[in-house]
Amino acid sequence: ETGVTQTPRHLVMGMTNKKSLKCEQHLGHNAMYWYKQSAKKPLELMFVYSLEERVENNSVPSRFSPECPNSSHLFLHLHTLQPEDSALYLCASSPETTEYYGYTFGSGTRLTVV
Amino acid sequence: QKEVEQNSGPLSVPEGAIASLNCTYSDRGSQSFFWYRQYSGKSPELIMSIYSNGDKEDGRFTAQLNKASQYVSLLIRDSQPSDSATYLCAVNIRKDDKIIFGKGTRLHILP
């Protein structure tokens, strides 16, 4: 375990469903991130939260909605997704958002949209 | 030019040899550089970070940074089959204050 826990590990959802991905970190970090990893593409940053405040929204479609109720928990709410949204969704955390820290990733949620 | 470029591989290296993984980046102002290892079906794991020109060694891993050439590399000595994975280079892009990942290089250590 890395100290960053994601649930569920796998998710299959229809295009009309609503679901949520959960991330919890036990590292005392102040920054949390959502990344999308698709085949043959680099990791794509979706959202950044620092001390529960969103500091980055990387032009992500509104069908993805993040929520950060406290510095240990991060959610990604999903609704009316498209098949091209199928990917591995990774949560990460770091001590701060400054450039000198690497990230600790969770195990990811493998999402399939049917 | 892409912000962070890596050869996608696969790079095949005999067991016991040195594996050399390379990465170039476009932002001259970048200050932080990271190497992550990602096994198939798993999430990336940070294995090295480097901030100054030169070499940084950690066990069998050596990161090398040349800011003038905008080049960062990872050397793995005495390669083991367990080193077979995809290696992601990540670079801080100063102008955007974010870390950008390369597509990764797939490394295969031949027993």
Side-chain angles (χ1 to χ4, degrees):
Chain A
E1 285 298 330
T2 65
V4 179
T5 303
Q6 286 187 247
T7 54
R9 294 292 299 271
H10 300 273
L11 178 62
V12 179
M13 59 187 287
M15 289 190 281
T16 58
N17 291 159
K18 287 185 181 181
K19 296 286 184 184
S20 296
L21 310 184
K22 180 182 175 183
C23 177
E24 183 175 357
Q25 58 98 358
H26 308 278
L27 302 169
H29 289 170
N30 288 326
M32 297 186 77
Y33 311 81
W34 280 116
Y35 275 88
K36 176 183 178 183
Q37 189 173 38
S38 305
K40 305 206 187 295
K41 286 187 177 182
L43 280 164
E44 299 172 58
L45 178 63
M46 300 176 73
F47 300 104
V48 180
Y49 277 83
S50 176
L51 293 170
E52 302 128 55
E53 282 195 32
R54 188 192 305 181
V55 296
E56 177 85 29
N57 175 359
N58 229 26
S59 303
V60 178
S62 59
R63 57 186 184 268
F64 296 92
S65 173
E67 179 190 0
C68 188
N70 56 61
S71 59
S72 300
H73 292 85
L74 186 64
F75 295 89
L76 188 63
H77 303 300
L78 316 171
H79 65 98
T80 57
L81 295 191
Q82 305 298 310
E84 61 265 28
D85 296 322
S86 298
L88 180 66
Y89 288 85
L90 290 161
C91 173
S93 71
S94 64
E96 306 286 348
T97 56
T98 60
E99 60 198 49
Y100 293 106
Y101 296 104
Y103 300 159
T104 302
F105 284 90
S107 300
T109 295
R110 173 69 61 186
L111 173 67
T112 304
V113 181
V114 297
Chain B
Q1 182 189 4
K2 294 189 178 65
E3 290 177 300
V4 180
E5 291 208 59
Q6 296 181 256
N7 188 323
S8 60
L11 174 65
S12 294
V13 173
E15 184 175 356
I18 296 176
S20 177
L21 303 158
N22 305 315
C23 174
T24 58
Y25 59 95
S26 60
D27 182 8
R28 284 199 166 273
S30 295
Q31 297 290 327
S32 310
F33 307 86
F34 307 92
W35 283 100
Y36 289 81
R37 178 177 61 200
Q38 186 173 23
Y39 292 114
S40 180
K42 303 292 186 184
S43 59
E45 173 194 8
L46 179 66
I47 55 172
M48 288 288 282
S49 57
I50 186 167
Y51 309 102
S52 305
N53 276 330
D55 294 1
K56 179 182 177 182
E57 189 174 317
D58 183 2
R60 294 186 297 112
F61 298 101
T62 299
Q64 298 177 315
L65 175 60
N66 184 326
K67 290 184 181 179
S69 300
Q70 295 173 242
Y71 178 96
V72 58
S73 63
L74 179 71
L75 302 178
I76 306 175
R77 287 184 302 282
D78 187 24
S79 297
Q80 304 296 309
S82 58
D83 295 325
S84 297
T86 297
Y87 289 80
L88 306 175
C89 173
V91 177
N92 148 255
I93 303 298
R94 267 235 146 149
K95 62 180 173 64
D96 298 326
D97 192 26
K98 63 174 69 169
I99 291 179
I100 301 295
F101 286 81
K103 288 185 181 181
T105 297
R106 198 151 47 95
L107 175 65
H108 183 210
I109 305 301
L110 303 168

